[in-house]
Amino acid sequence: MKLMLMLLALVCLFGCEKSSWKIVELESPAGPDSGEPFLAAAYDEVWLSWLEKTTTGHALKFARWKGDWSKPNVIVSGIPFFVNWADFPSILPLSENRVVAHWLQKKGESAYAYHVMLSISEDQEKTWSQPVAAHTDLSANEHGFASLVDDGKGNPLIVWLDGRNFKAEHDPSSEMALMSTRIVPDQFRKEFTLDSRVCDCCQTAAVRTRDGVFVAYRDRSEKEIRDISYVRHRSGSWTEPKTLHSDGWQIDGCPVNGPAVESEGDTVVVAWYTGADDKGRVRVAFSQNGGESFQKPVNVDDGNPSGRVDVVLLEDASAVVSWLENQGDKGAIIRVRQVFSDGRAGKALTVADTTKARSSGFPRMVRSGKDLFIAWTYTSDPTTIRIARIKR
């Protein structure tokens, strides 16, 4: 499918009168046969990680943006990666010198037996530590859909979906748990079960708040209601799970459509997809008290979304949400829209054409300064990673 990136010279992205925005396609540092992009922003830089095919399998690579992309570097290669359109590696700057990355590594012969692996660089990504599993359970079961966040002391806190209690593949009585641990050098790693029954393969999302950590995920009730729930880490302990909003989406299988979260101080914003009442919706809800409670959600889609959301906060505490909007036989488009905590929503903008195919993955978005960066997998042959900068 031909990419139609909208290069607009002076476009007011959200219909506002004072701010003019333009979309610029950046040259991607990723090579051919690349996919599963992830973005992080800190210290006036943007980090991009991705998986790229090699002659012997795959390599997890990264590059840094500070006015231009650095030369791509390899975090790890030559291992049996678990490569999946929905469960992708990530990278997280913990300080100007310290960075942590995670990826998925096959374990055993089962198709969905894999582990969450971690490696840390202490010297501005020149070298990486010996990889370790994030979890103590090393059984040949699914462990994935991980999210990394700073624990507040420069150490990685990780949450993931853990299948150690799975009885058998496709057994309806098997349950996936949401678990967490902190990776602190020379300290015993204690694991916490945050929720013992969650949706099997939806992404998790975690951010720091002013006084702790906030985690959002897709839950799973005994009646197969799969709405978004959240937990918080405050004063050294985790809260009990709480439903963010009662959409009432009852579905017998996993929709593979997790939430996205962003925070700044006491402001937390969550974006998610729901198919309740057989009607797809992309919703956004704000919290002004660190995630303790949320305001009424706002629908932001155009009426026919497929989800795959992301969200960032702007300087004025409004949010920008990205999602995939279906276009019938024409495929899908990547859309963004500004939303305010009082329920107002700006005009949606199309960033690029894409497809509904799994291979198009989940577009990722971050804010660096006043600009937004969006990366996605373009389903050409071979696949490539595209990057757009929405510049003010």
Side-chain angles (χ1 to χ4, degrees):
M1 178 185 291
K2 183 179 179 181
L3 178 69
M4 185 181 69
L5 189 64
M6 300 181 66
L7 301 175
L8 304 178
L10 288 173
V11 173
C12 184
L13 178 57
F14 306 112
C16 49
E17 297 179 357
K18 295 182 179 180
S19 297
S20 294
W21 296 69
K22 62 179 179 180
I23 302 177
V24 179
E25 183 177 6
L26 303 177
E27 183 176 354
S28 175
D33 278 322
S34 56
E36 292 72 51
F38 184 87
L39 289 170
Y43 311 108
D44 298 321
E45 293 185 294
V46 174
W47 278 256
L48 170 71
S49 66
W50 69 93
L51 286 171
E52 190 171 309
K53 284 187 179 179
T54 67
T55 56
T56 57
H58 286 82
L60 176 58
K61 296 185 175 183
F62 75 96
R64 299 166 70 168
W65 169 273
K66 195 169 185 178
D68 201 358
W69 289 111
S70 65
K71 180 181 177 181
N73 285 290
V74 175
I75 297 173
V76 64
S77 63
I79 61 168
F81 282 103
F82 177 79
V83 180
N84 184 272
W85 67 288
D87 197 355
F88 37 82
S90 71
I91 190 167
L92 174 69
L94 297 166
S95 71
E96 293 190 70
N97 294 319
R98 196 167 198 239
V99 180
V100 60
H102 103 269
W103 65 90
L104 309 169
Q105 192 165 317
K106 292 180 181 178
K107 174 69 174 182
E109 300 299 322
S110 176
Y112 292 99
Y114 57 96
H115 292 168
V116 178
M117 304 299 294
L118 296 170
S119 183
I120 297 176
S121 174
E122 307 279 4
D123 54 9
Q124 293 188 329
E125 304 96 50
K126 295 182 179 69
T127 61
W128 293 85
S129 66
Q130 183 69 25
V132 296
H135 35 83
T136 58
D137 175 61
L138 301 180
S139 64
N141 284 303
E142 181 179 348
H143 309 75
F145 297 96
S147 293
L148 291 165
V149 64
D150 191 324
D151 70 349
K153 298 180 180 179
N155 298 305
L157 183 151
I158 184 167
V159 297
W160 72 94
L161 301 189
D162 193 293
R164 68 183 67 183
N165 294 324
F166 258 57
K167 299 176 182 178
E169 194 170 338
H170 306 303
D171 186 335
S173 65
S174 294
E175 295 183 352
M176 186 74 77
L178 177 71
M179 300 190 70
S180 176
T181 192
R182 290 194 314 142
I183 309 299
V184 181
D186 302 321
Q187 288 190 20
F188 172 75
R189 281 195 288 143
K190 184 177 181 180
E191 294 178 331
F192 296 88
T193 299
L194 310 184
D195 194 324
S196 60
R197 179 183 169 90
V198 302
C199 201
D200 300 35
C201 46
C202 283
Q203 296 82 14
T204 61
V207 291
R208 280 209 59 77
T209 60
R210 189 185 303 279
D211 61 355
V213 171
F214 177 94
V215 178
Y217 59 98
R218 190 173 296 281
D219 217 335
R220 180 189 176 195
S221 76
E222 296 293 336
K223 295 182 179 180
E224 301 295 358
I225 302 298
R226 303 192 187 224
D227 290 343
I228 303 302
S229 291
Y230 65 93
V231 292
R232 295 182 299 150
H233 188 267
R234 300 178 64 193
S235 303
S237 62
W238 289 98
T239 63
E240 291 296 315
K242 187 175 181 179
T243 301
L244 194 148
H245 182 262
S246 295
D247 296 319
W249 188 12
Q250 186 175 44
I251 179 173
D252 290 335
C254 178
V256 196
N257 237 319
V261 180
E262 184 66 286
S263 68
E264 182 67 40
D266 288 327
T267 300
V268 179
V269 61
V270 182
W272 72 95
Y273 173 83
T274 179
D277 302 320
D278 297 320
K279 177 66 175 178
R281 287 295 187 194
V282 172
R283 288 178 167 160
V284 182
F286 285 84
S287 169
Q288 306 299 339
N289 54 15
E292 183 174 346
S293 61
F294 280 83
Q295 299 165 206
K296 182 180 178 180
V298 179
N299 295 330
V300 299
D301 59 88
D302 298 326
N304 191 23
S306 57
R308 308 194 200 182
V309 302
D310 208 352
V311 65
V312 297
L313 281 168
L314 299 184
E315 305 95 315
D316 62 359
S318 65
V320 177
V321 185
S322 67
W323 76 94
L324 262 59
E325 186 78 22
N326 296 320
Q327 298 290 291
D329 295 338
K330 296 180 181 180
I333 52 178
I334 301 172
R335 296 281 268 174
V336 293
R337 189 190 298 272
Q338 186 180 21
V339 187
F340 297 85
S341 60
D342 61 6
R344 290 178 296 129
K347 182 180 179 181
L349 177 71
T350 297
V351 176
D353 283 345
T354 185
T355 75
K356 295 177 286 187
R358 290 186 173 188
S359 57
S360 67
F362 284 69
R364 299 290 86 190
M365 178 172 60
V366 295
R367 177 173 72 89
S368 181
K370 294 184 177 181
D371 297 343
L372 306 182
F373 291 75
I374 303 178
W376 68 98
T377 301
Y378 179 53
T379 56
S380 54
D381 187 15
T383 60
T384 57
I385 290 174
R386 301 279 187 170
I387 307 164
R389 182 183 186 186
I390 302 178
K391 186 176 181 181
R392 182 160 56 190

